[in-house]
Amino acid sequence: MRIGIVNDLPLVVEALRRVLALHSEHRVAWVARDGAEAVAMCASDTPDLVLMDLLMPGIDGVEATRRIMQRTPCPILIVTVSVGAHAGRVFEAMGHGALDAVDTPVLKGDAAQGGAEALLDKIDRIERLVRARPAPAPPANGVERSVARAPQRPPLLAIGASAGGPAALAVLLRALPADLRAAVVIVQHVDAQFAPGMADWLGQQSALPVRLAQESDRLQAGTVLVAGRADHLVLRRSAALGYVREPADYHYRPSVDVFFHSVARFWADRTVGVLLTGMGRDGALGLKALRDHGCHTIAQDASTSAVYGMPKAAAQVGAAVDILPLPQIAAHVVAALSAIAVS
């Protein structure tokens, strides 16, 4: 991959160079010393990936990410000191389209140590994500394809998102009423280590309680559950949520497609599906499965998507009943869920 480095500290730039040199297929395309220079460099020589620092004088990494994704979009990985200490700004950058975040590797002597492996792993994951194909419907494993029957079956709002998702999710959740009589489940492409922080952050944006989905959780009206592991979140025939490893070789983890397909099998008569901004095609076929089973489905439009990849793929396969600007989605969701609740 041709990789652009954005950092104002020469020692950090050298550490990143040495880490990238560990893999011969990666090479440094250019180095920008601040956010403004990064925006200009991306416009003149768009790389395969940008390693973006958050903390820089002038235009910081959050604003630089916003401008790059608006003008010359490309994959961006946040590489900054102490990701955990700057979680709010990380989610803000991800809301503008950054794909992931990792701590800056430490330079010790003649080698980059302490974080090199984590950085290379993130780069490898992003490379696979960019090239990934959509997931096929997971096998039924001998389980009857039928709607689950449970004593209480609340309507379900199933949401999938990726790059740009945190900000889009915040907009959507803020617009949902506090007395929503439906369960909400979110599958957002995010590293498992950031999932608890993202759930807390989304909870601050929402009138509804937000927490990570746990094994054996059941859908509960008025509660937002967020996929929180590297494995795929699924809805089982028992009407309980759970995590599964398969498909093990699928690069989107957790996968929106896998979750949507499980909902189509067991909760389709009471679900509204929404696919928000994101890179790639994950969720498109799952949303199509929901629509084919009679669900009302919505995809975010191009004008309001930070990255018009996943919703575009959904539109191309006819998966969305409605294609809407982000600010209009909540009202349509509430109306569709209300129709289910009285049916």
Side-chain angles (χ1 to χ4, degrees), residues 91 152 190 218 235 297:
F91 296 136
Q152 294 183 337
V190 67
R218 292 188 175 272
L235 180 65
T297 55

Side-chain angles (χ1 to χ4, degrees), residues 44-342:
S44 62
D45 182 16
T46 306
D48 298 319
L49 175 67
V50 173
L51 305 183
M52 178 72 72
D53 187 23
L54 281 181
L55 312 174
M56 296 177 290
I59 296 177
D60 66 7
V62 174
E63 176 61 15
T65 296
R66 185 190 72 80
R67 295 189 188 187
I68 290 170
M69 295 307 298
Q70 185 178 65
R71 301 174 188 179
T72 52
C74 62
I76 295 176
L77 172 63
I78 300 299
V79 183
T80 197
V81 175
S82 185
V83 166
H86 302 97
R89 299 182 77 180
V90 168
F91 296 136
E92 189 178 353
M94 292 178 69
H96 292 311
L99 294 175
D100 208 338
V102 67
D103 288 338
T104 304
V106 178
L107 188 64
K108 294 182 179 180
D110 293 330
Q113 302 174 359
E117 184 176 347
L119 174 58
L120 289 172
D121 181 63
K122 295 283 188 181
I123 293 173
D124 180 61
R125 289 186 187 185
I126 289 174
E127 184 175 19
R128 285 181 286 151
L129 286 178
V130 171
R131 299 175 180 175
R133 296 180 179 179
N141 295 326
V143 178
E144 179 185 355
R145 290 174 179 260
S146 61
V147 173
R149 297 298 173 187
Q152 294 183 337
R153 301 185 61 248
L156 168 63
L157 171 57
I159 306 173
S162 185
L169 289 167
V171 171
L172 176 54
L173 292 179
R174 277 197 297 265
L176 295 179
D179 60 350
L180 185 73
R181 296 182 178 180
V184 182
V185 178
I186 295 170
V187 176
Q188 160 75 46
H189 295 160
V190 67
D191 193 300
Q193 67 175 312
F194 303 137
M198 189 183 72
D200 291 342
W201 182 76
L202 288 175
Q204 298 171 22
Q205 320 298 317
S206 172
L208 299 168
V210 181
R211 64 176 177 83
L212 295 183
Q214 303 297 328
E215 184 75 30
S216 301
D217 270 345
R218 292 188 175 272
L219 302 180
Q220 181 178 351
T223 298
V224 181
L225 298 178
V226 180
R229 300 186 187 177
D231 288 334
H232 307 299
L233 184 69
V234 295
L235 180 65
R236 305 185 190 278
R237 190 176 187 276
S238 64
L241 294 168
Y243 289 93
V244 298
R245 179 170 173 74
E246 298 298 332
D249 60 348
Y250 194 45
H251 305 310
Y252 298 103
R253 307 189 71 87
S255 166
V256 181
D257 267 330
V258 172
F259 179 65
F260 280 1
H261 279 300
S262 71
V263 172
R265 288 203 300 273
F266 302 130
W267 215 262
D269 62 328
R270 303 189 67 75
T271 295
V272 174
V274 176
L275 192 60
L276 299 175
T277 172
M279 179 176 291
R281 301 182 61 85
D282 188 35
L285 295 183
L287 196 72
K288 182 66 162 58
L290 289 175
R291 184 175 186 180
D292 289 345
H293 281 73
C295 299
H296 191 92
T297 55
I298 300 170
Q300 188 175 350
D301 74 348
S303 67
T304 60
S305 293
V307 181
Y308 192 52
M310 287 161 46
K312 179 181 180 181
Q316 289 173 336
V317 299
V321 174
D322 293 320
I323 299 174
L324 299 171
L326 179 62
Q328 296 181 20
I329 292 178
H332 283 73
V333 162
V334 171
L337 290 172
S338 297
I340 294 172
V342 300

